[in-house]
Amino acid sequence: MSKRFFITTPIYYVNDKPHIGHSYTTIVGDVLARFHRINGEETFYLTGTDEHGANVAEVAKAQGKTPQQLCDQNSQLFKAAWEKLDISYDYFVRTTDQRHEKAVGKLLTEMNRAKVEGKPAVYQGEYTGLYCLGCEKFLTEKELVDGKCPNHLTVPQRITEKNYFFRLSGFISQVESLIRSGKIKIVPEERKLETLGLFKQGLEDFSISREKVTWGIPLPFDPKQIAYVWVDALPNYISAIGYGDNPKEFQKWWTKAEVIHLTGKDILKFHNVFWPAMLLAVGVKTPDMVVNHGFFTVKGQKMSKTLGNVIDPHYLVEQFGADATRYLLLTQFPFGLDGDIQADRFVEKFNSELANDLGNLVSRAAKMIKDYCQGAIPEAKAYDKSDEEIRSLATQTTQKVMELIYEIRVTAAIEEVFKLVKKANQYIESSAPWNLAKNNDFEKLNTKLYLAAEMLRIISALLYPIMPNKAAQIREVLGFSEKELIPSLLKAKEWGVLPAGQKLGKIEPLFPRMDKQAKKVEANVEDNLISIEEFGKVQLKVAEVKEAEKVAGADKLLKLKVNVGDEEKQIVAGIASYYQPKDLIGKKIIVVNNLKPATLRGIKSEGMLLAAQDGKSLVLLTVDKDIGSGAKIS
Ligand code: MSP
């Protein structure tokens, strides 16, 4: 009996817009889902957005929106990106869906009823911890770098509140043995070891509710408390398939399917430990596999808004098309590991691997069939040794690729397909059909070209999950009808499927070479960098502080009068927590002199002063030696 697959991505936070990090996981999931589907295996592919939590509420407030408005708007951005990238998800779950909220309510109620080692699985307690608003989680001292959250570079807040706790300690040994025995398979192996390392370090019970947060799902047994974001988010994997409202569907896609969660390594603990433990508490099957893939850097640096190297998937799709974008992202480094995305080499890679190797193979083979065989698939007669070799390589490749897909070795699977592409090119080269035509050896010529066409058919099937549109285009060239454009891998394991006499379709270049665009990719990747001309627009000057006073009713603001040369200006600055007004008088500071005036708390501010800040302290920028006020800075 063939297996059934349920494949999931993490649900993405709506306070960010989709970038290639999210795209990467989602494309991998799509490739897996498509491979299984065309291999005749029933598959459900789930993705969605994670919409609750203090962070979302805060971003919404800053943008003058209600949290729900922000969620509606940003979940749409993810849907739009997935549409552009041809992601064939079966369901898009949103944690603000009523259906999801109901399922979380059910899960929490059951967790609250559950007992472990004679004690309740959920209990009340008090929690004090260092909470990072950005991460939506408490951080341990060990996780901090220089007292700050390493991801957000902010100092976490120390918070004490009443919480409900989940007795993780009661389930740890069960989860550990499920992982050790491979019942929950963690891939890659490295992450399995990392997970086992967590057990060794010791894991504490975790809090499942928040008192302060308002944007979230209330606990059914204490509605004043809001479910902790992860306790709300993880159940998306079951709410989406009917845990709360459709037991039959739930049976089908959870209990009786191979459940594969794809996540980045950043959220390993939640998926590999917390989630299985929560499921064990309520007597639901644990996932079969969790894939914690690596993180990529962009040209050696971590992707970040400040560095300006966040690549927008829409931009890549506009430059390269959806198919090539999928290919380029997936083939940067072996799936699972950490690696570097070398976006400045995308054009080169596009030209050599897609335009040359694959594109030329298709156009060359099709053109010869058109020229030598009146545009119809020829008939093969006797195969020689080289024909037999390439034929068995083609049929074996399908088997090999599928084995790699079962092991979630996506990059290796793509490499196998492209090995076949290369071999097919070499086969055509060494068979030299043009010489056979010259020598009127039509029987051999027909055989060689039939083989080339069959290879294209198999290649098109293997490419479909990776590049669905281009695969369909190859099949159109081969003369397949509309309904055969989605291939079957079962057929790709067979040989001799193309009927002799089938008329070829229109031959158009699969991947027209790219030339001039090369620079543009780099320019966009670095779009937060500014030119010297742009910087030149900012007029920085030395100013002398003449007066300083607190702004009534605003703890953080000071009102300064400064001289910038002959000019007197009023500047309102948020430095009251760091400087006493009297200490500022006479200081030479640096100001942005040509900033549009703004009104802060009803007071006009005609410029901005420069200060350095590291989360703990703030210091004003000043000059190294004395210099007249109004001096230009360049
Ligand atoms: N909302 C949580 C997940 C809840 S799942 C029940 C979350 N969301 S997220 O928006 O931050 O997405 C994190 C995921 O995005 C990572 O696990 C990974 O799949 C993907 N990636 C984000 N940046 C990435 C890279 N730089 N490299 C590779 N994948 C990246 O965490």
Side-chain angles (χ1 to χ4, degrees), residues 10-13 19 21-22 24-25 50 230 233-234 236-237 263-267 271 293-296 303:
I11 46 169
Y12 303 109
Y13 287 132
H19 56 59
H22 310 122
Y24 184 69
T25 317
D50 191 350
W230 279 97
L234 289 161
N236 87 85
Y237 301 133
T263 87
K265 63 175 186 178
D266 53 332
I267 47 181
H271 283 83
H293 67 73
F295 252 49
F296 54 68
M303 264 199 316

Side-chain angles (χ1 to χ4, degrees), residues 8 142 144 161 227 294 319 404 419 446 585 589:
T8 69
K142 254 195 275 161
L144 305 184
E161 57 172 37
Q319 287 293 303
L404 290 166
K419 265 190 219 161
N446 285 349
I585 313 293
I589 59 168

Side-chain angles (χ1 to χ4, degrees), residues 379-384 387-388 443-444 447-448 451:
E379 203 181 334
K381 289 268 165 64
Y383 288 176
D384 65 21
D387 303 336
E388 287 295 356
E443 195 173 305
K444 212 164 184 186
T447 303
K448 300 283 175 194
L451 263 137

Side-chain angles (χ1 to χ4, degrees), residues 315 319 347 513-522:
Y315 171 76
Q319 287 293 303
V347 175
R513 279 184 71 83
M514 296 180 75
D515 292 316
K516 295 204 185 91
Q517 285 95 328
K519 287 234 159 51
K520 277 208 225 153
V521 178
E522 219 176 340

